[in-house]
Each structure stands twice: as C-alpha cells, then as structure tokens.
Amino acid sequence: MIRLVTNDYNDLDGGQEAGDALVTFVACAHAMLDPGTPEEQVRTLEPRLLAQLPTLRALGVFDLFAVRDPALAALLADEDATS
C-alpha cells in the first residue's frame, strides 16, 4: 500500500488538472479513513474529496477502480444520488 509522506493536507488545492484531482482525492481519502484523523479535519477534507469527483468521473476512474471501503463508497453513492 502506498502511504503519503505528509500530514499537511492544507496544501492540497482543488486540482483542476487530472493528476491534481487524483492526488487530492487519494490524499483526502487516506486521511478521512485514518482513525487517528480528528473529526474536524475529516469535515474539512470531505468537500475537497467530493470536489474531485467530476474530474475523476470524466476520466473514467470509477469505471476502472472500485472503492472498497464501505463508508467511502457510501459517501460517493450519496453524492451520486444528489447530483
């Protein structure tokens, strides 16, 4: 498993480019799924993660890869239902 070397997620921007969107999504997901991440930080990261979805969907990322974490998969499904 690849681990990010940083815990400073403040530098993650919205990422308009495909690579930036993927990096931001993965970094946010890792932090959100880490039980040691404070709830306040999780609430800050969630909109950043969700903001990457249009770019990742346009790239077909979720046609190639499945989200295996049930909580993250449910969050993405909820976002799909409201879009």
PDB file of all heavy atoms in Angstrom, residues 1 3 6 16 40 69 78:
ATOM      1  N   MET A   1       0.842  -1.172   0.000  1.00  0.00           N
ATOM      2  CA  MET A   1       0.000   0.000   0.000  1.00  0.00           C
ATOM      3  C   MET A   1       0.888   1.235   0.000  1.00  0.00           C
ATOM      4  O   MET A   1       1.868   1.308   0.719  1.00  0.00           O
ATOM      5  CB  MET A   1      -0.903  -0.014   1.230  1.00  0.00           C
ATOM      6  CG  MET A   1      -1.728   1.254   1.347  1.00  0.00           C
ATOM      7  SD  MET A   1      -2.700   1.350   2.843  1.00  0.00           S
ATOM      8  CE  MET A   1      -4.027   0.268   2.420  1.00  0.00           C
ATOM      9  N   ARG A   3       1.693   4.929   0.982  1.00  0.00           N
ATOM     10  CA  ARG A   3       1.350   5.888   2.030  1.00  0.00           C
ATOM     11  C   ARG A   3       1.898   7.243   1.654  1.00  0.00           C
ATOM     12  O   ARG A   3       3.004   7.361   1.143  1.00  0.00           O
ATOM     13  CB  ARG A   3       1.952   5.473   3.379  1.00  0.00           C
ATOM     14  CG  ARG A   3       1.245   4.322   3.985  1.00  0.00           C
ATOM     15  CD  ARG A   3       0.001   4.814   4.633  1.00  0.00           C
ATOM     16  NE  ARG A   3      -0.698   3.699   5.220  1.00  0.00           N
ATOM     17  CZ  ARG A   3      -1.965   3.723   5.489  1.00  0.00           C
ATOM     18  NH1 ARG A   3      -2.676   4.763   5.224  1.00  0.00           N
ATOM     19  NH2 ARG A   3      -2.546   2.698   6.032  1.00  0.00           N
ATOM     20  N   THR A   6       3.131  12.994   3.916  1.00  0.00           N
ATOM     21  CA  THR A   6       2.760  14.248   4.567  1.00  0.00           C
ATOM     22  C   THR A   6       1.485  14.096   5.372  1.00  0.00           C
ATOM     23  O   THR A   6       0.658  13.246   5.074  1.00  0.00           O
ATOM     24  CB  THR A   6       2.566  15.379   3.540  1.00  0.00           C
ATOM     25  OG1 THR A   6       2.286  16.578   4.245  1.00  0.00           O
ATOM     26  CG2 THR A   6       1.454  15.085   2.578  1.00  0.00           C
ATOM     27  N   GLN A  16      -7.453  21.314 -10.700  1.00  0.00           N
ATOM     28  CA  GLN A  16      -8.227  21.282 -11.925  1.00  0.00           C
ATOM     29  C   GLN A  16      -7.653  20.285 -12.923  1.00  0.00           C
ATOM     30  O   GLN A  16      -8.369  19.807 -13.784  1.00  0.00           O
ATOM     31  CB  GLN A  16      -8.288  22.676 -12.555  1.00  0.00           C
ATOM     32  CG  GLN A  16      -9.000  23.683 -11.676  1.00  0.00           C
ATOM     33  CD  GLN A  16     -10.413  23.247 -11.316  1.00  0.00           C
ATOM     34  OE1 GLN A  16     -11.155  22.808 -12.179  1.00  0.00           O
ATOM     35  NE2 GLN A  16     -10.773  23.354 -10.068  1.00  0.00           N
ATOM     36  N   GLU A  40     -12.809  17.139  13.055  1.00  0.00           N
ATOM     37  CA  GLU A  40     -12.815  18.470  12.438  1.00  0.00           C
ATOM     38  C   GLU A  40     -12.059  18.464  11.108  1.00  0.00           C
ATOM     39  O   GLU A  40     -12.489  19.065  10.127  1.00  0.00           O
ATOM     40  CB  GLU A  40     -12.198  19.498  13.382  1.00  0.00           C
ATOM     41  CG  GLU A  40     -12.196  20.903  12.825  1.00  0.00           C
ATOM     42  CD  GLU A  40     -11.598  21.904  13.806  1.00  0.00           C
ATOM     43  OE1 GLU A  40     -11.845  21.765  15.012  1.00  0.00           O
ATOM     44  OE2 GLU A  40     -10.888  22.796  13.343  1.00  0.00           O
ATOM     45  N   ASP A  69     -13.704   0.594   0.545  1.00  0.00           N
ATOM     46  CA  ASP A  69     -14.095   0.960   1.898  1.00  0.00           C
ATOM     47  C   ASP A  69     -15.596   1.266   1.905  1.00  0.00           C
ATOM     48  O   ASP A  69     -16.063   2.123   1.142  1.00  0.00           O
ATOM     49  CB  ASP A  69     -13.315   2.180   2.384  1.00  0.00           C
ATOM     50  CG  ASP A  69     -13.722   2.565   3.781  1.00  0.00           C
ATOM     51  OD1 ASP A  69     -13.209   1.955   4.738  1.00  0.00           O
ATOM     52  OD2 ASP A  69     -14.588   3.466   3.918  1.00  0.00           O
ATOM     53  N   ASP A  78     -23.941   8.440  -2.082  1.00  0.00           N
ATOM     54  CA  ASP A  78     -24.843   9.528  -1.664  1.00  0.00           C
ATOM     55  C   ASP A  78     -24.647  10.753  -2.542  1.00  0.00           C
ATOM     56  O   ASP A  78     -25.603  11.417  -2.921  1.00  0.00           O
ATOM     57  CB  ASP A  78     -24.601   9.914  -0.203  1.00  0.00           C
ATOM     58  CG  ASP A  78     -25.129   8.880   0.768  1.00  0.00           C
ATOM     59  OD1 ASP A  78     -25.890   7.985   0.341  1.00  0.00           O
ATOM     60  OD2 ASP A  78     -24.767   8.952   1.959  1.00  0.00           O
TER      61      ASP A  78
END
